[in-house]
Amino acid sequence: MNSKACLVLANGQIFEGCGFGSFGVVIGEAVFTTGMTGYLETLTDPSYFGQIVTQTFPLIGNYGLIHPDFESEKSHLRGYIVRDLCDMPSNFRSEGCLEEFLKSNGIIGLCGIDTRCLTKTLREAGVMNAMIISGDSKEAEEYFNALKNPAEKEKLLEKIRAYKITGAVEAVSMNASKIEESADVVFKTSAEYRAVPVTKDGLKVNDPEEAMKNGKGKKVVLWDFGAKANIRRELLKRGVDVITVPSDTSANEILHLNPDGIMLSNGPGDPSDNIKIIEEIKKICESKKPIFGICLGHQLLALARGAKTSKLKYGHRGANQPVKQLLTGRVYISSQNHGYAVNNESLPKYAVLSFVNANDGTCEGITYTDIPAFSVQFHPEASAGPLDTNFLFDEFIDLINNPHLLSNFSPKFKRIDATQCFANTIKETKALQMS
């Protein structure tokens, strides 16, 4: 640590600090995440592929390195930025410090900068590309010198702006499968930390036999577009057998496995880039197999069904995003990590909004009334509230046991104007604040 380092934004703004982890020069998409804890999950979440991630919480690394909390085998970030780095962690589960992890994964870190100022810049201007220059190598020194010359700096900024995340899903698929554990181990570990399944009523199911009874004998294919390990764990806790398949698996290959349900995982990048996968999902939909999509899986399913997606100004990344369930009016706290969203107005007539973001009204969930399928933009496996939306996995198991569940109840779903719903939510919030 303590090497010379800086962040150069595509708009020309420079933040000087200290380097840690690996050293060198790297370009990525600069984003921020607001989680106060969960930095290990952030570092190992494949959805951050190609990005330079800034933690808005000032102190990072205080509980060390804990391998059982990893979401995949390694980190897929381009760079990592924190305000204050803790190099002396204190935790009974700690296996090392954060800098060791970054070094072993070849990730360049930057600390000691004003992350509040950086976050405000990204909020106001929107997500943009950036470069981290760190260390005293010849390459780094050339870049530092280029920043001092206006003409050379402009060439450098052009190079930064030209960066584009490509081949994201292919690069991260099947990484989490390398740290898979058996159902017995998963449930035993979860029970130790009271991370067992939670019902819709908020009650924890501590008995493995009770928790697994509805899923026993059922088979789920986890279509891995960059899956977090905890998605598989949540399925295993409910008794189903999970078969993980890579992103380039065809619909015919998946259907040949004769699954009872299909899970579309999270993942990185622009969902519209995955043209082949979208075509294969269309074929899966025709099979009428029960489907549950999370994050990128939610977006890919929506694209396969005729909806459209668009890039958000600065995305939703953190463990404190409020989502409103339209059927009940209840608001849940959710964990999120996405830079794209399904356009509310583009949903076809057989797709109904089930959740909206209480901050900006964007689509957070869709229920399909013509096929047994539903999806959410947020992460129900990520323990945000801490276990608020965990019950969605139980709803998936219920759908597997009764594939006609959604279509049978389709009369209760109605087209909901998202803009009006968002306006009503804001009105209700203000009323509560005044009372």
Side-chain angles (χ1 to χ4, degrees), residues 143-154:
Y143 279 101
F144 282 129
N145 291 332
L147 293 175
K148 300 173 185 177
N149 183 303
E152 291 298 315
K153 180 180 178 181
E154 186 53 40

Side-chain angles (χ1 to χ4, degrees), residues 210-221:
E210 180 66 23
M212 296 180 176
K213 68 177 182 180
N214 292 331
K216 281 289 185 184
K218 302 298 181 181
K219 182 175 18 176
V220 169
V221 165

Side-chain angles (χ1 to χ4, degrees), residues 221-423:
V221 165
L222 172 56
W223 204 344
D224 187 349
F225 309 128
K228 294 170 65 180
N230 218 32
I231 291 177
R232 181 178 179 275
R233 294 185 193 119
E234 289 299 332
L235 291 170
L236 290 177
K237 289 178 200 176
R238 288 159 176 83
V240 299
D241 294 323
V242 181
I243 301 175
T244 307
V245 298
S247 61
D248 59 357
T249 307
S250 70
N252 286 338
E253 289 171 318
I254 289 174
L255 295 174
H256 185 70
L257 295 170
N258 194 28
D260 297 290
I262 298 164
M263 169 67 75
L264 308 180
S265 86
N266 64 293
D270 184 343
S272 63
D273 287 345
N274 302 285
I275 298 171
K276 290 183 179 179
I277 294 174
I278 293 167
E279 289 302 312
E280 296 303 315
I281 291 176
K282 288 179 182 178
K283 298 173 187 176
I284 293 291
C285 292
E286 292 172 3
S287 73
K288 302 289 185 179
K289 291 283 186 181
I291 301 171
F292 180 18
I294 293 176
C295 200
L296 180 65
H298 156 83
Q299 297 164 358
L300 293 175
L301 179 58
L303 289 169
R305 310 265 25 234
K308 290 180 170 53
T309 58
S310 59
K311 190 167 186 176
L312 298 171
K313 184 177 181 181
Y314 49 81
H316 300 151
R317 297 177 181 89
N320 54 358
Q321 290 284 333
V323 296
K324 183 174 183 178
Q325 187 176 35
L326 301 184
L327 198 61
T328 63
R330 183 172 178 179
V331 174
Y332 297 93
I333 299 301
S334 70
S335 177
Q336 300 192 14
N337 171 19
H338 61 101
Y340 293 81
V342 177
N343 298 340
N344 295 333
E345 66 279 3
S346 72
L347 297 185
K349 63 181 180 180
Y350 44 76
V352 180
L353 273 174
S354 56
F355 291 88
V356 293
N357 190 292
N359 286 332
D360 60 14
T362 52
C363 174
E364 293 284 0
I366 301 172
T367 297
Y368 296 91
T369 58
D370 63 328
I371 60 172
F374 69 99
S375 62
V376 292
Q377 181 65 74
F378 51 91
H379 285 272
E381 85 290 344
S383 305
L387 302 168
D388 280 14
T389 55
N390 202 258
F391 67 86
L392 290 170
F393 287 95
D394 295 299
E395 293 200 347
F396 182 42
I397 304 302
D398 290 342
L399 188 60
I400 288 173
N401 287 315
N402 184 2
H404 304 292
L405 192 65
L406 294 180
S407 57
N408 285 346
F409 287 91
S410 59
K412 75 179 180 181
F413 292 105
K414 60 181 184 297
R415 298 291 295 179
I416 298 172
D417 186 302
T419 303
Q420 185 58 48
C421 174
F422 181 53

Side-chain angles (χ1 to χ4, degrees), residues 119-130:
T119 301
K120 288 177 71 175
T121 298
L122 296 177
R123 276 184 63 93
E124 292 167 9
V127 164
M128 67 179 82
N129 290 344

